[in-house]
Amino acid sequence: LLTITRSGAKVIVSWSSPSAGYSLQQNTNVNSTNWTGFVGTIGDDGMTKSVTNSIPTGNKYSRLYHPQRATKKAASRRAPT
């Protein structure tokens, strides 16, 4: 579960730890395929991973991405032959 919280002029994005194999990705368009990996420091206290950013101008979406799970989803969406 990805949580986004506002703290003053900052936004905190957090999720459970451990979360092996998952990476945080961001995009300005939720429907785009151009998701990029988060560049910056990810804090981890053993229970929660988190990043803190300035509040963006415009839209910024975040997701947790796991390459093996994405492959399985794509395979399950294929039309039967």
Side-chain angles (χ1 to χ4, degrees):
L1 176 66
L2 192 65
T3 304
I4 301 173
T5 308
R6 183 177 177 162
S7 178
K10 301 285 185 179
V11 173
I12 302 167
V13 179
S14 59
W15 61 99
S16 297
S17 178
S19 51
Y22 286 88
S23 62
L24 181 65
Q25 294 185 332
Q26 297 180 320
N27 200 334
T28 56
N29 179 345
V30 74
N31 295 314
S32 173
T33 58
N34 297 324
W35 290 84
T36 57
F38 173 77
V39 178
T41 303
I42 298 176
D44 188 348
D45 66 7
M47 298 284 294
T48 305
K49 290 186 178 189
S50 63
V51 299
T52 303
N53 292 315
S54 298
I55 294 175
T57 314
N59 296 328
K60 184 174 247 182
Y61 300 94
S62 297
R63 73 177 184 183
L64 289 177
Y65 177 78
H66 192 288
Q68 290 178 333
R69 293 186 187 267
T71 302
K72 289 179 185 176
K73 282 183 184 178
S76 68
R77 290 182 183 161
R78 289 187 188 141
T81 54

